Amino acid sequence: MAAESPVLSNQRRRTRAALLQAAGRLLTQGVTPTVAQVADEALVSRRTAYRYFPTADQLLADAALELTAGEVTSRITATDPVDRVDELVSTINQMTLRNEQSLRTLVRTTLDAPRDADGPRRGLRRMAWIEQVLEPVRAQLSPTAFRRVAAALALTVGIEARLSLVDVAGLTDDEADLVSRWVARIIVQAALADPGDATLAQEA
């Protein structure tokens, strides 16, 4: 399958953001909107809205998270790259714990929805946070290494990481937080120690 063009990818992101912002506005007004109502508020066709969010549960769960997303980047104050990532993981862990039920709903509805190979991915917000935190070391890493460390860090945060650490591994909330932050620090330290593509080249 051909790669999606940057223009189309950016348009999808803008459309998704418009829907989430519209849902957030309605939620703050005390309304529990349907997907159709959110589409009308966002000036997006209802058909398009349902492609992005097949159910109201999925849309409202994601919109509720969007309302609290601003706190994530505002808490990143460190300059050391390892400490910056630690702050990010800690903050996302706290947000995940506070919004656990909504996030579990989001995972369930996403998995239950039909796959759309051309549709938007989940996790765009999370990847943007990770890349923002890593931005100061982008010049130290090859493009491949930067993508690799960002992808690896995505494994340490969010509801999926919590499901693995708490539901599967049986950790407490505090233990899950410590383990995810420990793994994230190791990932960044390893990336900075091997900033090129040598490791993967040797393993290929």
Side-chain angles (χ1 to χ4, degrees), residues 37-130:
Q37 288 174 314
V38 171
D40 294 344
E41 173 73 15
L43 302 179
V44 171
S45 75
R46 294 182 178 185
R47 180 178 179 181
T48 296
Y50 278 108
R51 284 189 64 244
Y52 284 77
F53 299 100
T55 70
D57 281 346
Q58 183 178 347
L59 172 56
L60 297 181
D62 217 345
L65 293 176
E66 189 72 15
L67 292 174
T68 62
E71 73 178 82
V72 174
T73 53
S74 67
R75 291 192 181 184
I76 310 304
T77 60
T79 55
D80 178 82
V82 176
D83 291 339
R84 284 173 63 83
V85 167
D86 183 70
E87 288 179 339
L88 175 68
V89 175
S90 175
T91 301
I92 294 180
N93 284 347
Q94 294 171 35
M95 190 176 73
T96 300
L97 185 59
R98 289 198 308 271
N99 297 279
E100 182 170 0
Q101 192 55 53
S102 293
L103 286 165
R104 285 178 179 268
T105 297
L106 182 59
V107 169
R108 185 180 68 253
T109 55
T110 301
L111 292 175
D112 289 344
R115 289 182 62 87
D116 182 357
D118 296 324
R121 300 172 304 162
R122 277 195 58 228
L124 295 176
R125 184 192 303 114
R126 191 184 324 173
M127 293 308 298
W129 290 334
I130 291 171

Side-chain angles (χ1 to χ4, degrees), residues 159-175:
I159 188 62
E160 296 86 356
R162 179 168 175 78
L163 291 173
S164 295
L165 294 172
V166 175
D167 292 21
V168 177
L171 301 185
T172 65
D173 293 341
D174 288 343
E175 289 170 337

